[in-house]
Amino acid sequence: MAKNIQSLERAAAMLRLLAGGERRLGLSEVASSLGLAKGTAHGILRTLQAEGFVEQDSASGRYQLGAELLRLGSTYLDVHELRARALVWTDDLARSSGESVYLGVLHQKGVLIVHHVFRPDDSRQVLEVGAMQPLHSSALGKVLSAYDPVAHNEVVENERKTFTPRTITDADDFEKVLDLTRARGWAADVEETWDGVASIAAPIHDRRRMPVGAVGVTGAVERICGEGGELRGELVAAVRDCARAVSRDLGAGRF
């Protein structure tokens, strides 16, 4: 059985200590409470502080939990609230569009699917909750990259893989796609990630008007696009309406 990493165990214990009891603790208090040498405790605290997990009061020198740790905790809760708020609206979107509906959030360097409503027909389908989609080529990913600065940084700083001849990988061309996404309020993927598959997605915002996810429909190109190859306007409108409805339920107001 693999051994636990002692430095991580100590860091976790330190965070738990700061999360309970007194709001702020000094170096000596942290070290004595955990049975650590001051030098060891100080090194761990400095590392946690550099990552934003711990903050030090400039006047007293005492430590408390940092904003980054609180943000991570609220993000976990937000994902569950997002999914709960989206259940009815995504079901309605699947019924009205006749296509599969996906709800995605930023996770590491891609889009994590947190909710998937099957296409309302008798075809065999596979549940894709937990699957990842790329930020640069999927409709969900483009929406997140356009509206979320963290997603944007991830997509511009990492390799943009070519999936099909239609995948856009050039940095300047991709920025133009994001500009267009912000201008019209939605994004599309027409055979950029998978041959024969097209998607439309729109952003979801929370009560702080921050982008917390994206919702979209996915289906065969011939169903998502009209006879002239253009995306079907009624599908674009339905996706945007769904995103607005979920946003309103999250407290974002009118968009």
Side-chain angles (χ1 to χ4, degrees):
M1 183 177 177
K3 293 183 178 179
N4 292 340
I5 300 174
Q6 187 181 55
S7 58
L8 292 180
E9 288 182 328
R10 289 173 171 175
M14 200 168 287
L15 292 174
R16 292 191 186 97
L17 177 66
L18 292 172
E22 294 293 330
R23 179 174 172 79
R24 293 174 178 170
L25 294 174
L27 173 60
S28 296
E29 294 169 302
V30 172
S32 61
S33 295
L34 299 178
L36 299 174
K38 278 190 178 181
T40 301
H42 188 230
I44 296 173
L45 284 168
R46 288 189 62 184
T47 301
L48 291 172
Q49 184 179 0
E51 294 298 325
F53 296 146
V54 164
E55 295 175 355
Q56 185 179 28
D57 180 67
S58 57
S60 67
R62 297 167 77 84
Y63 295 90
Q64 65 182 27
L65 292 181
E68 179 64 15
L69 187 65
L70 299 177
R71 186 190 70 81
L72 290 176
S74 65
T75 298
Y76 175 79
L77 295 175
D78 285 348
V79 168
H80 289 273
E81 183 182 5
L82 171 62
R83 184 179 179 277
R85 297 288 186 179
L87 288 176
V88 172
W89 300 112
T90 50
D91 283 349
D92 287 347
L93 179 58
R95 281 193 295 268
S96 65
S97 67
E99 301 296 344
S100 298
V101 176
Y102 293 89
L103 186 68
V105 299
L106 175 66
H107 181 65
Q108 296 177 350
K109 300 176 183 178
V111 183
L112 175 67
I113 303 303
V114 296
H115 185 52
H116 173 199
V117 184
F118 284 164
R119 185 171 63 253
D121 59 20
D122 295 327
S123 62
R124 184 175 182 180
Q125 300 172 64
V126 177
L127 186 65
E128 295 190 39
V129 172
M132 296 289 291
Q133 292 188 8
L135 283 170
H136 68 288
S137 61
S138 68
L140 294 171
K142 291 177 189 177
V143 164
L144 293 175
S145 299
Y147 288 91
D148 187 335
V150 177
H152 182 265
N153 288 340
E154 289 288 357
V155 78
V156 298
E157 293 176 2
N158 291 283
E159 179 187 5
R160 291 174 293 279
K161 183 179 178 181
T162 298
F163 297 108
T164 76
R166 291 175 174 263
T167 307
I168 297 173
T169 58
D170 178 78
D172 291 338
D173 290 342
F174 184 70
E175 288 295 343
K176 292 177 182 177
V177 170
L178 299 187
D179 288 340
L180 178 60
T181 298
R182 286 186 286 265
R184 64 189 184 183
W186 56 276
D189 164 12
V190 180
E191 296 189 282
E192 294 178 49
T193 308
W194 302 281
D195 289 324
V197 177
S199 303
I200 302 167
I204 296 172
H205 297 81
D206 66 6
R207 60 186 60 87
R208 300 162 296 174
R209 296 297 181 94
M210 297 295 292
V212 293
V215 63
V217 296
T218 298
V221 171
E222 57 268 21
R223 296 196 307 268
I224 302 297
C225 300
E227 293 182 1
E230 297 293 325
L231 292 160
R232 290 169 52 197
E234 67 271 23
L235 286 181
V236 173
V239 170
R240 297 192 70 190
D241 286 346
C242 178
R244 291 191 187 104
V246 179
S247 297
R248 285 196 299 270
D249 278 3
L250 288 171
R254 295 186 62 84
F255 270 83

